Structures are given as C-alpha cells and as structure tokens.
Amino acid sequence: MRILIVDDHEALRKAMIDVLTRQEDIALVDGAANGAEALKMLCQRSYDVVVTDIVMPVMDGYTLMQEMRRLMPCPAPKVIVATALARDDFVMRAVELGAKFYLVKPFQPEILLGHIRRLANGEETVPVVPVSEAAPRERSLEERLGSLFLTLGIPAHIKGYQYLRTGVKMAVENPSVVNRITKELYPGIAARFDTTASKVERAIRHAIEVAWNRGRVDTLNRALGCRVCTPEEKPTNGEFIAMLADKLRLDRTA
C-alpha cells in the first residue's frame, strides 16, 4: 500500500508516518502540510489511501477532496478524514465528497491502521462515523477558530482568512483591542505578516463579504446563538471580530 498523510500539524504528521512506515504491508508513506501540497504530490505519484485533516492553511481538506474528484483518474485514492472536528454536518460534508472513514482526533494509531487495512481489503461499507478511542479533551483556540471559520465559509486561501484569525485571537486575549482597531489591531496584524494596516483592513473586509455572498448569515446567527446579523446589514470589521471573539470566550468559560 502507498499512503499520503495530509496534516499541517508537523509533529502529528510525522508520528502517523512513523507508525505506518513500520508496517510490512505498507510500501510507502509520504506527508504533506496542506491540501495544495498534497495535490501536487498526487499528480506526481500514485497512492492507494489519502489520510487528510480538514482545517489547514492554503487549501483545506474539503477543497482537496473536491479537487481530487475533479482531477484524479479512476480509481482515485480512497480518503480517510482525520480531524478534531466532530460535528455531524462536517462528517456529512466529508461523506458527500467521498470520504470512506471519518476519525476524530485524538485517536490511537492502531485505529487509523485498521481502517487503512479495511480499505485495502475492499471493505468500504463500514459506516462513516466519528471514532475516538481517547478521552475527550478541550479543543484549543486554534481548533475552535478553524471550526468556526469553516462553518462560516471563509476560504483558507484568501489573505483575509489569516488576518481575520489573527485579529480574533488578539481580541480573545485582549477584548479592548477592538476599541483600538486602526491604531493597534490592524498594525499588529500587519507587523506579523509584513504588510500594511490598510491592506489588512481591505483583506478582512473581503473575507467577511465572501462569507456574506455565500449566504452564511443564518449559519453565523446559529453559531452565535442569537440573531444579530441580516443579509442586508453586514457588520463592520470591528463588529465581526468582536462577535467572534465573544463567542469563543463564552465557549471557553462554559
């Protein structure tokens, strides 16, 4: 078997590769840090199974699966999703895009290995459901942010995605920063990405407009737990950042 592991968490990716390369029935295991990198490798080399995370920079797992369906000849590699996102709608979206198994992190390496071997043996009728063999753990701020942004339909490849994520994290850690958005928040983001505050402002505005144009207003209201947005009234950058930061802080203290 030839396996491709796609995960932006370097230590976890290397750990999965290490376990799989020690198996006699696995001939090759490669790793990629995001969907775009994986897609290039898939065009250069054949694999039997792709194990992919969902939330990744540059290209997320859903987009990777979409591109695989569009570009890969039949039979395409079988896909196992391995992610921290456990919501039913994320699972169903992965199934719709062709995932054969859906594993929820953290899980034991033996669980992943077992699913890979089932696929190799042609067992594709096993229900695709979240599987976790470890004790529940509190999700990190990065994981909760990734889940929220994925829900809102803000694509990872646009610049505003990373700027907005950084701004929300800054607001979670220091709520008053949204009151100094032009003097502190934009310049702070710009310094981290070696750009200008005006470009940060425009990119964040574009990211919010993308979410609105995709019709995710109702999704945002459900995520926030109340109706605070309408299709006709987009929030300002500061209002949007403050709403998401408040949501994440409340979730953390709940």
Side-chain angles (χ1 to χ4, degrees):
M1 285 186 290
R2 302 160 70 89
I3 316 296
L4 177 60
I5 306 294
V6 190
D7 199 305
D8 63 323
H9 192 299
E10 184 177 5
L12 179 58
R13 184 175 71 249
K14 289 182 176 179
M16 286 191 283
I17 291 173
D18 181 61
V19 170
L20 295 175
T21 52
R22 287 188 265 123
Q23 310 304 314
E24 293 183 357
D25 54 344
I26 296 179
L28 173 73
V29 186
D30 285 333
N34 56 65
E37 187 177 318
L39 202 59
K40 291 180 181 178
M41 298 175 71
L42 285 161
C43 293
Q44 297 168 355
R45 176 178 285 176
S46 63
Y47 296 94
D48 301 299
V49 178
V50 173
V51 180
T52 184
D53 196 358
I54 294 296
V55 179
M56 296 179 289
V58 186
M59 180 186 289
D60 62 40
Y62 289 146
T63 306
L64 171 61
M65 286 188 279
Q66 287 175 326
E67 290 300 296
M68 286 177 62
R69 294 178 71 174
R70 186 174 69 88
L71 299 174
M72 300 297 296
C74 292
K78 298 177 176 65
V79 177
I80 295 175
V81 169
T83 180
L85 305 177
R87 280 178 27 184
D88 290 345
D89 52 342
F90 292 141
V91 178
M92 293 310 301
R93 177 61 174 153
V95 174
E96 290 170 358
L97 291 172
K100 301 300 181 183
F101 293 99
Y102 192 105
L103 297 177
V104 176
K105 299 175 182 176
F107 52 82
Q108 297 299 323
E110 292 77 12
I111 300 298
L112 173 61
L113 182 59
H115 286 321
I116 290 173
R117 285 175 172 155
R118 289 188 183 95
L119 288 179
N121 293 330
E123 297 180 32
E124 299 184 20
T125 58
V126 180
V128 185
V129 294
V131 177
S132 179
E133 295 297 321
R137 63 179 176 84
E138 182 180 354
R139 292 193 302 165
S140 68
L141 176 60
E142 286 288 344
E143 290 171 339
R144 289 185 290 124
L145 260 174
S147 174
L148 185 57
F149 275 47
L150 196 61
T151 300
L152 298 180
I154 301 175
H157 68 275
I158 62 175
K159 289 183 179 179
Y161 177 93
Q162 291 297 339
Y163 297 166
L164 191 53
R165 280 185 65 136
T166 301
V168 173
K169 284 191 289 185
M170 290 172 66
V172 169
E173 295 162 1
N174 179 16
S176 64
V177 76
V178 296
N179 298 322
R180 303 184 298 277
I181 191 167
T182 57
K183 292 185 177 180
E184 186 172 336
L185 191 138
Y186 290 155
I189 298 171
R192 298 186 192 192
F193 291 93
D194 192 26
T195 185
T196 65
S198 61
K199 289 182 179 179
V200 167
E201 180 181 13
R202 288 196 299 271
I204 289 177
R205 169 51 43 185
H206 173 66
I208 296 172
E209 289 175 350
V210 168
W212 246 250
N213 291 338
R214 290 185 171 187
R216 298 299 179 94
V217 179
D218 289 340
T219 301
L220 176 60
N221 285 325
R222 286 196 299 271
L224 296 176
C226 58
R227 187 171 181 80
V228 295
C229 301
T230 67
E232 296 77 24
E233 297 182 17
K234 289 192 291 287
T236 65
N237 289 4
E239 290 170 341
F240 193 73
I241 290 170
M243 285 190 295
L244 298 189
D246 286 345
K247 164 67 175 174
L248 292 167
R249 276 196 302 273
L250 288 171
D251 287 348
R252 187 165 59 184
T253 58

